Amino acid sequence: MRLIGTLGHSNEAERFLSYLERAGIPARCEANFHPETNRAQYQMWVLDEDQLIKAEEEFGRFVSEPTSAKYDPPAAQMIAEQAAVEPPRAWVTNILLALCVFCFLLSVWQDYMSHEANPNSPPFLAPVQLALMYDAPATSAEALVTGHFWKGAYSWVMLQMTHSDPALAEGPFMVKIRSGEIWRLATPILLHGELLHLLFNMLWLVVLGKQVEARIGALRTLALTLLIAVGSNTLQYLVSGPFFFGYSGVVMGLAGFIWMRQRLAPWEGYPMHRSTFLFLTIFVLGMLVLQCLSVVLLLTVGYNMPIYIANTAHIGGGLYGLLLAKWPWLGTARR
């Protein structure tokens, strides 16, 4: 394998790579960053050294006329490629969306029925939430609120720093999961507490999930989702205890996955714009700043300003997505 040249734009690299393959010259493209300009560059490699001279000549002609019509793929090939990367249905994405909506509507209905049966009862988790949250060690909702269970490393540290008893944050650990209810590792992503929370996450699921599923297929999309869910949920549980749910950890994981694939394999054609990643990053960092501010206020003036956002899942999900994007099995075949 020999390097024949470097291009500065992913569209040019894709056009030239496609042209070489039509010309019977096996080649590949590798993306990296120029150490001085810190901009993406795309190295073109010829796989058969016997065709090195021919490939170098073709590269020279392409550099001099990159917009020439001879480098445009045939219409039939463009149609086939479009069909290959954009299947008519994204089954996994649609099923996950439907499950999230169903669980939310079921929790609303269960809350309503509980209030109808006992109007004086305080609001708490619906049965579907107790069944699918990461851990529910107590045998009743009331016992779960007041009982002895793991409340997270954050609570433990804060109790230490405020000279309180850290044992208040300690207790039975992963009770339900250790008893065999392993679905709880992933199912918190199906739960949402408010309508806006659900709508926000489902919008991102459609935008990001369908992009990923169109390129790596249903099976690998499901595997990617479960791996991100299990990792981000577990980190959140270790930090905050069992009272969290939502799809946003997976949303951040999908965003991180796409961001990394755009750099590792630009020919896969993920269309996410840089501003989208910037928005999500600012959102997560903003929540982190608020959480740090709440700690400062608690330690300095004793004012408790709880931030009910599972930001550990956001950060952990994003990092898992970045790492999983480097797994070749989760990429598409080079064209």
Side-chain angles (χ1 to χ4, degrees), residues 6 18 21 38 67 74 94 112 114 121 133 140 146 255 258 281 285 313-314 320 326 330 333:
T6 302
S18 176
E21 292 185 354
N38 200 31
T67 60
N94 291 335
Y112 172 78
S114 175
S121 63
M133 61 191 291
S140 69
T146 60
I258 292 173
T281 302
L285 292 178
H314 297 159
Y320 279 120
K326 298 184 178 183
L330 292 174

Side-chain angles (χ1 to χ4, degrees), residues 33-196:
F33 285 91
H34 193 282
E36 296 180 359
T37 65
N38 200 31
R39 296 176 62 89
Q41 61 180 10
Y42 303 88
Q43 296 179 333
M44 310 304 297
W45 298 79
V46 62
L47 303 182
D48 185 355
E49 295 195 15
D50 293 337
Q51 301 196 61
L52 175 62
I53 296 177
K54 182 180 178 181
E56 289 176 335
E57 293 174 351
E58 294 288 359
F59 183 80
R61 284 191 283 268
F62 177 81
V63 171
S64 62
E65 293 183 295
T67 60
S68 173
K70 67 181 286 187
Y71 300 110
D72 294 336
Q77 180 182 345
M78 292 180 65
I79 293 172
E81 290 175 352
Q82 188 77 0
V85 299
E86 294 185 9
R89 288 182 176 84
W91 294 106
V92 169
T93 301
N94 291 335
I95 289 172
L96 288 169
L97 189 152
L99 285 173
C100 289
V101 173
F102 172 77
C103 289
F104 176 76
L105 295 176
L106 180 58
S107 68
V108 171
W109 179 77
Q110 289 176 338
D111 282 339
Y112 172 78
M113 295 301 295
S114 175
H115 182 73
E116 285 290 300
N118 185 3
N120 296 321
S121 63
F124 190 64
L125 298 171
V128 64
Q129 294 171 329
L130 287 171
L132 299 181
M133 61 191 291
Y134 196 92
D135 195 22
T139 56
S140 69
E142 184 176 348
L144 184 58
V145 173
T146 60
H148 188 52
F149 63 95
W150 169 255
K151 298 178 180 66
Y154 175 80
S155 295
W156 191 90
V157 171
M158 293 309 299
L159 288 169
Q160 287 273 20
M161 296 181 70
T162 55
H163 307 290
S164 301
D165 184 6
L168 295 173
E170 300 171 358
F173 186 75
M174 292 188 179
V175 175
K176 294 294 186 180
I177 292 172
R178 288 190 287 113
S179 68
E181 297 180 11
I182 59 173
W183 64 81
R184 293 177 180 270
L185 291 167
T187 51
I189 69 172
L190 303 178
L191 303 172
H192 294 82
E194 299 175 353
L195 180 59
L196 287 178

